[in-house]
Amino acid sequence: MPNTPAATSPIIPSPASGHAEGVSNDEFRAAMSRLASGVVLVTAQEPPLDPDDPSAPGSEDVGMTATAFMSVSLDPPMVLVSLREGSRMDELLDEQPHWAVSVLSESQRHIAGRFAMKGRVSDRLLFADIPYTRGEYSGAPLVGGALAVLECRTEQRVPAGDHTLVIGRVLTARVPSAEGGPLTYFRGRYRQLG
């Protein structure tokens, strides 16, 4: 009788892992932390609560640090940012189609940390001492000293697990500063190249 290999059975993860594929949150987080990412500040302008009422609160700037940002297409120019589902920025960009991105330099670590804090103070206070200009299409803050700044219009929103992938068409792209290197994120910390 020929010697045949025993049938292999698929590995069935334990229910405690939380993932049908058998990868725990900690294992996935540890693996992905080995991927170096650039750091950007995503900004948008929240419209006034009631534009017809002059006594109602006016528009407010909103910002969020992101490391899951990438180029999607050259023609037309498109980018993608991943936002935590239900976050303030996710909800705002569901209503507000125009937003901006500032690619942070290595000297702007404090800005990245400020806008990444949990339980943070009002965004108005976070922008208070940061130099910026306003985008002509989005009205959103474009951070001074950033390596690059882009203004975008949402083309598509794709639900992806506990995040939303927002794909935007780039309306403007400028490189205002050639000084310094990029701010990167690697193994859970902000870092500089070199």
Side-chain angles (χ1 to χ4, degrees), residues 35-155:
L35 176 65
S37 305
V39 183
V40 301
L41 184 68
V42 179
T43 56
Q45 193 173 60
E46 192 171 51
L49 289 178
D50 185 355
D52 299 326
D53 181 359
S55 65
S59 60
E60 185 170 338
D61 295 324
V62 178
M64 182 202 88
T65 302
T67 56
F69 175 77
M70 63 181 281
S71 168
V72 173
S73 168
L74 182 61
D75 185 17
M78 299 178 89
V79 293
L80 175 149
V81 66
S82 179
L83 306 175
R84 187 174 34 83
E85 182 183 31
S87 67
R88 184 173 183 197
M89 188 62 75
D90 180 38
E91 291 174 356
L92 176 56
L93 295 191
D94 193 27
E95 298 173 7
Q96 164 63 280
H98 293 96
W99 43 284
V101 174
S102 298
V103 178
L104 299 180
S105 73
E106 59 193 359
S107 66
Q108 295 177 316
R109 178 187 302 213
H110 65 288
I111 295 173
R114 181 183 294 188
F115 285 90
M117 291 186 307
K118 290 185 167 94
R120 62 191 202 199
V121 297
S122 127
D123 284 52
R124 180 172 290 137
L125 296 174
L126 296 178
F127 281 106
D129 63 347
I130 296 175
Y132 63 84
T133 58
R134 293 212 174 268
E136 64 180 293
Y137 291 99
S138 65
L142 303 170
V143 176
L147 296 179
V149 292
L150 304 99
E151 288 186 277
C152 306
R153 181 184 67 235
T154 299
E155 293 284 310

